Amino acid sequence: MTTPRLGIAFVPTHAPESLRRLATTAEEAGLDDLWVWEDCFKQSGLASAAAALAWTERVRVGIGLMPAPLRSTAITAMEVATLARMFPGRLVAGVGHGVQEWMGQAGVRVASPLTLLREHATALRSLLAGEEVTTAGRYVTLDAVRLDWPPTEPVPLWLGGVGPRSLALAGELGDGLILANALTPTDVRAAAAAARGGRDGNGAGAGSDVDVHATLIAATGPDAQERVDREVPLWGKEAGQGIGAGGDAATIAAAVQALADAGATAVAVQPTADEPDVEEFVRFLGREVVPLLSDR
């Protein structure tokens, strides 16, 4: 069995000012990762990542996801590179094509989100590698742009997606795939296979692996399953379909391992919006769940 990295998801159902204690508690509890979100029109992923990195010393911080239509490719490269130089080896940058309804509200919806994501990710990777980039695509245009302060070491660039073409693109162009938060292990297995297909198609070789980030909605305590069942519909899925986990440490560890067995290399546990004590929940994960995962 593969043991995934275990992290905590800071979703925008929790107030921005609660991030500091969550980040420091995650580090104290021994979790591997902290994942911050950028949902419209709630919280900035980059601002949250910068603050979390500054408040901690070890934990890896991932951004899932920065919507490409909202962000200039050059500005995104500058911001990611700045954080990567300040906190080398601790940042995962994630980009996606965004929720189209939100992109429409913001006035940045494009006719071909997949084309934009391909152009954005390709140019962004080159800029972060310190290359000079000149390109005139359908959406991304750069003229001899080069970062003065590129990252001192490679920054993982993960892509997010839902549909089969987006999943294949993540495998083709990304170092990893960031999945939606309300998925079953069967869903994760199918998505990982689609991403591997995209990776194989870019010449990486048959059967090549791709990092996959999955999220597990979870709760503990006497009413844990009821709380998970109330949470899941908030993310567009029906309760009782095998999404999430409510129960004791063994129940949550088994659900984390099931996602790992389906192909997830990193799992972020998402507290429910009604979690009464998020910090204690993080301590519970470090104290009781982590030791139950294989090879720990």
Side-chain angles (χ1 to χ4, degrees):
M1 293 188 297
T2 300
T3 303
R5 298 178 64 96
L6 185 65
I8 190 75
F10 181 69
V11 296
T13 51
H14 297 277
E17 58 269 25
S18 66
L19 175 59
R20 181 169 190 161
R21 286 301 304 154
L22 179 68
T24 56
T25 303
E27 179 146 292
E28 293 165 2
L31 299 189
D32 299 307
D33 297 332
L34 167 68
W35 286 86
V36 297
W37 286 21
E38 184 162 272
D39 272 6
C40 297
F41 299 93
K42 298 170 184 176
Q43 297 175 24
S44 162
L46 272 163
S48 297
L53 287 163
W55 290 326
T56 56
E57 296 181 355
R58 175 197 56 80
V59 69
R60 186 177 73 170
V61 178
I63 307 173
L65 293 158
M66 295 177 284
L70 279 176
R71 295 184 171 277
S72 152
T73 305
I75 288 293
T76 302
M78 291 164 57
E79 293 179 326
V80 169
T82 298
L83 287 182
R85 288 186 70 103
M86 290 178 173
F87 308 99
R90 294 182 54 210
L91 175 68
V92 176
V95 296
H97 45 58
V99 175
Q100 294 309 292
E101 180 181 355
W102 293 341
M103 298 303 100
Q105 286 181 269
V108 294
R109 186 168 184 168
V110 298
S112 179
L114 204 64
T115 299
L116 169 56
L117 184 56
R118 174 180 291 279
E119 293 179 0
H120 180 82
T122 301
L124 180 59
R125 180 179 294 283
S126 296
L127 289 169
L128 293 175
E131 300 172 10
E132 181 178 292
V133 178
T134 295
T135 184
R138 182 174 177 182
Y139 299 111
V140 176
T141 298
L142 299 170
D143 183 8
V145 175
R146 184 196 299 270
L147 297 178
D148 281 7
W149 299 100
T152 54
E153 57 185 75
V155 180
L157 180 62
W158 293 22
L159 274 63
V162 176
R165 291 192 298 166
S166 296
L167 294 170
L169 185 66
E172 176 188 350
L173 297 181
D175 297 308
L177 165 66
I178 299 178
L179 294 173
N181 65 330
L183 300 178
T184 66
T186 299
D187 297 329
V188 170
R189 181 173 289 106
R196 283 196 300 271
R199 176 68 56 88
D200 297 344
N202 75 359
S208 56
D209 291 330
V210 57
D211 276 318
V212 176
H213 170 270
T215 299
L216 177 72
I217 299 171
T220 192
D223 59 347
Q225 189 59 57
E226 290 81 0
R227 289 170 49 213
V228 170
D229 289 345
R230 289 196 300 268
E231 183 80 12
V232 169
L234 300 178
W235 303 98
K237 297 295 181 67
E238 293 183 8
Q241 303 299 310
I243 297 171
D248 60 10
T251 299
I252 294 176
V256 170
Q257 192 61 54
L259 292 174
D261 294 343
T265 57
V267 176
V269 177
Q270 175 186 327
T272 58
D274 62 1
E275 171 57 51
D277 191 338
V278 175
E279 294 164 31
E280 181 54 33
F281 182 69
V282 172
R283 295 187 189 99
F284 157 78
L285 294 175
R287 182 177 62 245
E288 300 187 38
V289 175
V290 168
L292 295 178
L293 297 175
S294 60
D295 301 329
R296 291 276 181 163

